[in-house]
Amino acid sequence: MDKNPEVKIILNSGEEIKLELYPEQAENTVNNFIDLAEKDYYDGLKFHRVIKGFMIQGGCPEGTGRGNPGYAIKGEFASNGYDNDLSHKRGVISMARSQNPNSAGSQFFIVHQDAPHLDGQYAAFGEVIEGMDAVDKVADVKTDARDMPLEDQVISKVEVELFGQEYEAPEIV
């Protein structure tokens, strides 16, 4: 049996968040995340939106929540006609998007506390397997009225382990 890809998000604090990605749940979303990570896209970006008890969000090249990689992918979730039953429980990684279901690009969030109201509405594609304490530390930082951390929470590096498997470039919309 093939091993699922793993991703390590290394924060500027030295803390690490290790995730297992689930291509069987959201294949193109996983392909997209791997593609961006292998291109060092996430390196130096920050968690720009932090809501303790809900989620931490990163992956915006502008650091504002409005940026994207210049393209979007189809939303792989139930309300968009895609079979993805991964629940938004604590530690799950999912794609952020606008109201358009096919608007996800590079922004992602890690669920801090169970958020079942997101199930079927967002493309969940993996979960934290080590380092939830690092997620908790980011979730605990002080934020402004727009949920932006007062002290930047920077992603120093994202490393990918594919275990000898190959993943295709993402299909864009």
Side-chain angles (χ1 to χ4, degrees):
M1 190 166 107
D2 294 335
K3 193 163 163 63
N4 283 336
E6 293 179 358
V7 170
K8 188 183 334 178
I9 299 173
I10 303 166
L11 306 175
N12 62 336
S13 63
E15 301 270 348
E16 297 181 356
I17 303 166
K18 189 174 184 181
L19 301 114
E20 180 180 354
L21 305 184
Y22 302 142
E24 69 279 6
Q25 292 289 343
E27 182 178 19
N28 194 54
T29 304
V30 168
N31 289 347
N32 182 59
F33 195 85
I34 289 170
D35 188 60
L36 290 170
E38 287 184 328
K39 292 175 178 171
D40 300 327
Y41 182 89
Y42 293 114
D43 300 0
L45 300 185
K46 59 187 177 180
F47 284 102
H48 63 274
R49 185 171 178 230
V50 172
I51 304 174
K52 185 176 182 172
F54 180 36
M55 58 89 213
I56 64 173
Q57 182 173 330
C60 175
E62 299 172 8
T64 62
R66 292 189 292 271
N68 61 60
Y71 65 84
I73 60 172
K74 180 175 168 91
E76 294 179 310
F77 47 89
S79 70
N80 203 31
Y82 191 88
D83 185 22
N84 178 345
D85 62 359
L86 183 58
S87 181
H88 285 80
K89 65 183 192 286
R90 176 173 163 79
V92 164
I93 186 171
S94 190
M95 291 302 287
R97 61 174 179 83
S98 70
Q99 289 184 330
N100 178 341
N102 298 318
S103 61
S106 59
Q107 294 189 48
F108 65 92
F109 60 93
I110 299 173
V111 179
H112 183 230
Q113 298 296 337
D114 294 358
H117 62 284
L118 301 180
D119 293 352
Q121 305 294 320
Y122 291 83
F125 64 101
E127 68 184 308
V128 174
I129 55 173
E130 291 175 26
M132 261 321 280
D133 55 329
V135 173
D136 291 339
K137 286 179 183 174
V138 173
D140 277 339
V141 301
K142 290 189 181 345
T143 58
D144 67 16
R146 296 170 300 149
D147 303 315
M148 289 186 140
L150 298 179
E151 187 177 315
D152 286 348
Q153 302 299 303
V154 178
I155 298 167
S156 295
K157 179 87 180 138
V158 175
E159 298 175 350
V160 180
E161 175 56 67
L162 302 179
F163 302 103
Q165 301 299 307
E166 289 189 25
Y167 293 85
E168 296 177 14
E171 291 179 28
I172 59 175
V173 292

